[in-house]
Amino acid sequence: MAIKSKANQSQGMLMFTLTASKQLFAIGTLKVREIVPFSVATQIPYSHHHVIGTVTIRELNVPVIDMPAAIGFRPIQPEEYNDCYLIVTDCLRTVVAFMVRGIEKIIDCNWRHIEPSPTTAGKDVFVTGITRYEEKIVQMLDVELLLSKIYPPSESARIPILTDVEREKLKTLNILLVDDSSIARKQLADALDSINIPYRICTHGIEALQMMREVAAQGKAIDLLVSDIEMPGLDGYELAFETQNNPELSHAYIILHTSLSSEICLERAKQVGAHEALEKFNAGDLIKAMLRGAAKIQPNHFMTT
């Protein structure tokens, strides 16, 4: 499918190594606050076994996570620490430092050129997409999934509270959830499953746009679109732009959500036609946004409190 959009989104990609074989991994630079050499960490009693301690960075105590160990590779040994680097990230409202064996470089990257991770890879894999750089394979890591394994979300963040009237109104809408992160899809699905709200779900933007076109042609246009921003193939900004500029799809109330703690991301979401932009992940905030969408779609039949 050829995708053309004025919402041209290209962001940097930080490449690094986790193993002795120098296999390349990466995360988007919007998640990165800074990169610093390893410094001695203070151990934390009863912390997760992949958290080696905390370091003070710009007067902030930041937990240090052994990234190779966290995704299943050989843990970094204490004698290797001085040769390692810390990637300080701000994701899911949490600032952490991922310890990696080596930093390669930052390159420009267009998310449309990143291939989604194959479905045959299985569940709970830490790779959301694959791209290539100078004939080498680069695996994009699912930082959200990694963090959720170390800092499981609280029960209150997963289960929203809804009145019977609100639930019944949402149940009449066609809802589409889109996210390339397996943990984010599970969080979204669990939130709606817990209140018995039906939905469709897609793993990336191109799949979502195709589905929206197909169901619109069947007279069942999507009412509420809840999409991640950072996705391979077609990102959330472009998906929102394409939706708003297609008369058959523009009926949809668009909610973009991101793991990034960045006002820039939220402002840009509004610029491309999204009605709301939220930071991941609070089920209550999401449901309130969906109720506001329902009120706009059904103004004569529905009011939120």
Side-chain angles (χ1 to χ4, degrees):
M1 179 187 304
I3 301 296
K4 295 181 180 180
S5 172
K6 295 179 181 177
N8 181 26
Q9 301 303 322
S10 178
Q11 71 153 317
M13 182 171 71
L14 171 63
M15 298 189 299
F16 50 88
T17 59
L18 302 177
T19 65
S21 64
K22 304 295 184 180
Q23 185 176 356
L24 292 178
F25 295 87
I27 60 176
T29 52
L30 289 178
K31 291 186 171 76
V32 179
R33 292 179 62 151
E34 60 183 310
I35 303 167
V36 297
F38 176 80
S39 57
V40 177
T42 302
Q43 292 186 333
I44 309 171
Y46 304 107
S47 61
H48 191 280
H49 57 283
H50 293 324
V51 177
I52 68 167
T54 64
V55 295
T56 301
I57 300 176
R58 303 188 189 282
E59 299 183 351
L60 181 66
N61 291 325
V62 180
V64 177
I65 297 171
D66 182 339
M67 181 178 267
I71 68 171
F73 290 123
R74 180 177 68 86
I76 299 175
Q77 302 302 308
E79 58 269 22
E80 300 178 77
Y81 287 176
N82 288 336
D83 296 323
C84 293
Y85 291 87
L86 303 180
I87 303 174
V88 183
T89 67
D90 191 346
C91 182
L92 295 178
R93 312 182 189 195
T94 304
V95 177
V96 302
F98 291 107
M99 182 166 62
V100 300
R101 285 192 160 91
I103 297 292
E104 290 298 309
K105 63 190 304 183
I106 293 175
I107 63 170
D108 290 333
C109 177
N110 191 318
W111 284 83
R112 285 173 288 181
H113 298 160
I114 300 176
E115 304 166 11
S117 178
T119 56
T120 52
K123 297 174 60 178
D124 289 344
V125 295
F126 291 101
V127 176
T128 61
I130 297 172
T131 188
R132 289 167 180 79
Y133 175 72
E134 295 183 347
E135 306 304 319
K136 295 180 180 179
I137 292 177
V138 182
Q139 299 183 64
M140 302 294 295
L141 289 183
D142 187 345
V143 177
E144 295 158 333
L145 177 59
L146 197 161
L147 286 176
S148 74
K149 299 293 185 182
I150 297 174
Y151 304 110
S154 65
E155 197 68 23
S156 60
R158 291 197 296 264
I159 302 177
I161 299 175
L162 212 61
T163 68
D164 290 340
V165 172
E166 291 169 336
R167 181 182 297 108
E168 291 306 311
K169 291 300 180 181
L170 285 181
K171 287 175 69 173
T172 66
L173 302 179
N174 291 324
I175 299 172
L176 176 60
L177 312 176
V178 192
D179 206 300
D180 66 316
S181 167
S182 60
I183 186 63
R185 289 196 302 274
K186 185 177 188 304
Q187 288 174 332
L188 289 168
D190 286 350
L192 295 190
D193 286 342
S194 71
I195 53 178
N196 195 29
I197 301 297
Y199 56 87
R200 304 170 189 265
I201 197 162
C202 290
T203 60
H204 55 82
I206 292 178
E207 180 187 17
L209 186 59
Q210 182 175 347
M211 176 182 289
M212 292 182 72
R213 288 170 173 166
E214 290 175 354
V215 298
Q218 299 167 6
K220 302 176 182 178
I222 295 299
D223 298 305
L224 288 176
L225 171 63
V226 181
S227 175
D228 185 24
I229 289 179
E230 288 187 295
M231 296 184 294
L234 186 74
D235 66 23
Y237 295 130
E238 293 178 310
L239 179 58
F241 186 87
E242 296 294 335
T243 299
Q244 283 294 298
N245 283 273
N246 185 325
E248 296 180 351
L249 310 180
S250 59
H251 159 79
Y253 189 87
I254 304 171
I255 303 168
L256 295 185
H257 61 143
T258 176
S259 59
L260 307 173
S261 300
S262 171
E263 292 183 1
I264 296 176
C265 294
L266 305 184
E267 289 179 6
R268 178 172 273 173
K270 295 291 184 70
Q271 292 173 0
V272 296
H275 297 89
E276 303 210 27
L278 306 174
E279 288 185 29
K280 294 179 183 176
F281 180 78
N282 182 290
D285 290 345
L286 174 61
I287 295 302
K288 288 177 183 177
M290 294 175 73
L291 291 173
R292 289 190 289 270
K296 183 172 181 179
I297 294 168
Q298 304 170 327
N300 298 324
H301 305 283
F302 186 74
M303 291 184 60
T304 59
T305 57

